[in-house]
Amino acid sequence: MKQLDCYYTLSGSGAVTKNKKLDLSYNVGMNTFSYSSDQLYTIGKSFAFDNFGNLGAATNINSANYIDKYKSFSFFGSVDLGYKSLLYVTFTGRQDYDSRFIDPNNANYKLKDIGFFYPSVSGSFIFSELMPKMKFLDFGKIRTSVAQVSKGPSSSYYTSTTYEQLSGSQNITDGWSPSGGVSFPYFGVTSFGLSNTQGNPNLTPEKTLDIEIGTNISFFKKRIVVDFAYYHRKTTDAILPVSVSGTTGYGQILMNSGQLHTNGIDAVLNFTPIRKEKFEWNVGTTFTKYKTIVDKLADGLDQLFVGGFDGSAIYHIPGQQFGQIYGGDYAKTADGKLVINDDTSDVGNYGYPMANPNYKVIGNPNPKFILGITNNFSYKNLEVSFLIDMKVGGQMWNGTQGALTYFGMSKNTENRDDLGQASTVFEGVKGHYDSEGNLIISENTNDVPVALDQNWYTGNGGGFGNAAAPFVQNASAYRLRNITVAYTFKMKKFNKPVIQEVRVFATGYNLLLFTPYTGVDPETSLTGSSSNAKGLDYFNMPSTRSVTFGLNIKI
């Protein structure tokens, strides 16, 4: 992978008025950026020898070369105005031209077709300059800003439909014989076909408008420092993959398919409880709380698949928070009681909770708030610091537990009945679905004993049934994120030392975790840390716990 990012700038500053009460500074320039990625992927199958992982011993070898290249060119500028060290205003603007918006099938495209402009303005008022000197107040500022940011898709070539190398997983069958149809590679010849992602020449930049207001205040010679901000963020023309009907020949298309907004607060409090000549204790806290709502999707979309499985997936749904867990649940009354099947003719399901045939939101992976607390202690040359992270709220689908329940390997199945025994009565009310799919609920409390056996756990009582909601859990996490112990050896006692000081340290990461979540880690992600499909755990790997030792030498 290669990246070349070049800036060419011209800047200056000076007083605008003779009394030097009004200052001005400026910065103009241009930026050229190029990205190039060339990945070679090779896989061998059917090795002639066991435990000999050499491609030369593979019977079948397939290779693929993934190339991604794009360039951008930008003009930018900013102007800063300051009045008497009291008021400050900044204006910025940037014009980008991005090759990722070029439609290769349009030979008549113009430069303006791939260009987009985004401005910002910010201001601050240092109110402490107007106040008399006070022992407790060091500094006080109020700030506000309005900024727009635009960006392109995450990768190139989305404006046209590209070709990709075909493999065995993309064989075309005749629908009758397993060996019928067309297999790839075709008669041993490398084959290519249209990508599963349909190109979209009408892509436009994703735009985000940020409005923020905040304050910075410092007290008692910076022993207490407060930074608080409230923000509103609105994203329009969000670039998201949208599933399309397989009859089109494609699986998805990248579209400007979303509008969403976020309201949130960020707060930072740093304070020093103890400050002595040889000992100091500093505490830093960060608090984040936000809520992102999906306002609307592209025309014709009432929900947008982000990632996961059928029946337990992450969707964007208008009017709901960003990235909800969407899937199957049991049929329930308006007040949340289970509806138990009272249809005696429904052999095998009579007396058991019924699955609701309609999917719905069954969980919210977004936390209520996030809190981080850092403590730093220093005594002479010894330093100790640690960070505690708290993620309060948010839910996770524990698909691992669901699968283990299906196979009878989960603790959930320890309550199963002996063969031929039926000793369990599910709490709920009796009911059934009629021939038109309407839920008919009686007022009778369920009293039918049934068996918690293999049929139940491999059906709707397990992870591969029609109800994923029972495996959605609280994913709050309280974690000792890291701890560092360090000692610095001063070398001044030596005459003209070459080495001024030596710092020895040890750091532990992810040492402790307290959580009600029963899976491997409440912060794991089935689709990766950079994906928007949070809240899915299906045999994922936990966070790494590690300890490092280091040595810093200052000359």
Side-chain angles (χ1 to χ4, degrees):
M1 184 183 74
K2 296 180 181 179
Q3 287 188 179
L4 182 62
D5 198 4
C6 299
Y7 283 86
Y8 310 90
T9 62
L10 174 65
S11 60
S13 62
V16 177
T17 58
K18 292 183 179 181
N19 58 12
K20 298 183 178 181
K21 290 184 178 180
L22 183 64
D23 298 320
L24 179 145
S25 63
Y26 64 87
N27 180 42
V28 295
M30 60 181 181
N31 167 230
T32 59
F33 178 82
S34 64
Y35 174 88
S36 176
S37 175
D38 191 340
Q39 301 179 45
L40 179 63
Y41 172 79
T42 304
I43 183 171
K45 296 180 179 180
S46 302
F47 284 80
F49 308 101
D50 293 334
N51 302 319
F52 185 66
N54 188 300
L55 286 175
T59 303
N60 300 314
I61 299 178
N62 293 316
S63 294
N65 195 191
Y66 300 98
I67 298 175
D68 187 11
K69 295 181 179 181
Y70 67 89
K71 294 182 179 180
S72 67
F73 184 81
S74 310
F75 297 99
F76 59 86
S78 65
V79 175
D80 296 273
L81 294 171
Y83 177 70
K84 295 176 63 176
S85 300
L86 179 68
L87 291 171
Y88 295 90
V89 180
T90 299
F91 301 92
T92 72
R94 183 180 178 104
Q95 176 71 36
D96 283 356
Y97 299 95
D98 194 325
S99 68
R100 289 174 292 183
F101 290 105
I102 294 177
D103 176 10
N105 299 314
N106 180 12
N108 299 317
Y109 85 89
K110 299 179 181 179
L111 191 61
K112 66 180 181 63
D113 296 332
I114 62 171
F116 46 95
F117 176 78
Y118 46 100
S120 76
V121 59
S122 61
S124 61
F125 168 49
I126 304 178
F127 60 85
S128 57
E129 291 292 319
L130 296 179
M131 303 175 66
K133 296 295 181 180
M134 293 178 286
K135 292 183 178 181
F136 68 91
L137 180 64
D138 309 320
F139 177 81
K141 178 174 73 173
I142 296 175
R143 66 181 189 276
T144 186
S145 65
V146 179
Q148 180 180 300
V149 177
S150 300
K151 67 176 184 179
S154 59
S155 185
S156 312
Y157 320 125
Y158 282 125
T159 55
S160 62
T161 304
T162 59
Y163 284 83
E164 62 182 15
Q165 185 176 346
L166 300 178
S167 62
S169 62
Q170 295 158 303
N171 291 344
I172 302 174
T173 66
D174 60 6
W176 179 257
S177 171
S179 60
V182 179
S183 299
F184 300 108
Y186 187 65
F187 288 103
V189 179
T190 301
S191 309
F192 291 85
L194 288 173
S195 168
N196 187 55
T197 301
Q198 183 181 3
N200 182 2
N202 300 315
L203 275 181
T204 60
E206 178 178 307
K207 304 179 184 67
T208 299
L209 178 66
D210 265 300
I211 302 175
E212 179 179 311
I213 184 170
T215 184
N216 304 82
I217 307 176
S218 174
F219 302 95
F220 302 110
K221 298 181 180 180
K222 297 184 178 180
R223 291 191 65 166
I224 301 176
V225 179
V226 178
D227 188 328
F228 178 85
Y230 169 81
Y231 62 89
H232 172 80
R233 180 177 299 137
K234 182 178 181 180
T235 299
T236 56
D237 295 328
I239 301 176
L240 298 169
V242 176
S243 298
V244 296
S245 170
T247 58
T248 64
Y250 303 97
Q252 64 178 11
I253 182 173
L254 209 66
M255 297 178 61
N256 296 104
S257 54
Q259 177 177 307
L260 49 94
H261 75 272
T262 302
N263 293 322
I265 59 173
D266 290 323
V268 177
L269 172 62
N270 298 321
F271 60 98
T272 305
I274 300 176
R275 180 184 289 166
K276 300 291 184 180
E277 181 180 353
K278 296 182 180 180
F279 177 75
E280 187 168 308
W281 174 23
N282 294 302
V283 180
T285 62
T286 59
F287 177 84
T288 300
K289 182 177 176 62
Y290 63 90
K291 180 178 287 188
T292 300
I293 303 296
V294 178
D295 296 320
K296 65 179 182 179
L297 299 173
D299 292 342
L301 285 179
D302 56 3
Q303 59 187 25
L304 179 61
F305 173 81
V306 184
F309 307 101
D310 182 30
S312 51
I314 302 300
Y315 278 81
H316 296 329
I317 303 171
Q320 298 281 350
Q321 283 198 57
F322 186 84
Q324 296 292 283
I325 306 174
Y326 188 77
D329 194 2
Y330 295 124
K332 296 179 181 179
T333 63
D335 56 355
K337 295 179 181 178
L338 285 176
V339 179
I340 311 301
N341 194 334
D342 64 357
D343 184 358
T344 56
S345 65
D346 191 358
V347 180
N349 294 315
Y350 173 65
Y352 291 95
M354 295 188 303
N356 188 334
N358 300 313
Y359 288 170
K360 64 177 185 177
V361 174
I362 58 176
N364 179 8
N366 299 293
K368 294 179 180 179
F369 65 87
I370 300 172
L371 177 65
I373 303 175
T374 301
N375 282 269
N376 292 280
F377 302 91
S378 62
Y379 176 71
K380 294 184 178 180
N381 297 336
L382 177 66
E383 303 169 47
V384 178
S385 65
F386 60 90
L387 168 62
I388 298 174
D389 274 349
M390 304 179 191
K391 181 176 74 73
V392 179
Q395 295 170 302
M396 176 86 75
W397 172 68
N398 191 345
T400 305
Q401 186 187 69
L404 294 177
T405 300
Y406 174 89
F407 290 111
M409 301 300 292
S410 168
K411 189 176 180 63
N412 287 355
T413 64
E414 288 183 353
N415 63 348
R416 56 186 177 271
D417 291 318
D418 294 332
L419 185 63
Q421 183 183 13
S423 61
T424 300
V425 177
F426 284 96
E427 292 186 11
V429 296
K430 294 181 178 181
H432 59 273
Y433 284 97
D434 63 16
S435 59
E436 296 181 355
N438 299 312
L439 181 61
I440 307 301
I441 301 173
S442 73
E443 297 181 356
N444 299 322
T445 301
N446 180 51
D447 57 359
V448 180
V450 293
L452 292 185
D453 55 11
Q454 181 177 348
N455 290 331
W456 167 245
Y457 286 116
T458 57
N460 288 334
F464 299 141
N466 294 319
F471 301 102
V472 174
Q473 301 177 356
N474 182 355
S476 296
Y478 308 87
R479 190 186 301 268
L480 178 59
R481 181 70 62 183
N482 62 63
I483 181 170
T484 298
V485 179
Y487 191 87
T488 302
F489 297 91
K490 305 290 185 180
M491 313 302 287
K492 294 181 180 179
K493 60 182 179 180
F494 298 100
N495 188 26
K496 297 181 179 180
V498 177
I499 299 176
Q500 300 297 317
E501 64 182 41
V502 176
R503 184 175 182 267
V504 182
F505 67 91
T507 302
Y509 299 93
N510 193 29
L511 298 182
L512 291 174
L513 171 64
F514 302 95
T515 177
Y517 183 64
T518 62
V520 292
D521 194 319
E523 293 180 347
T524 189
S525 176
L526 172 66
T527 56
S529 59
S530 60
S531 169
N532 287 327
K534 307 294 185 183
L536 301 177
D537 178 6
Y538 190 73
F539 294 96
N540 300 355
M541 295 297 290
S543 301
T544 302
R545 178 178 297 166
S546 63
V547 178
T548 61
F549 299 90
L551 179 70
N552 299 129
I553 299 176
K554 182 179 180 181
I555 300 177

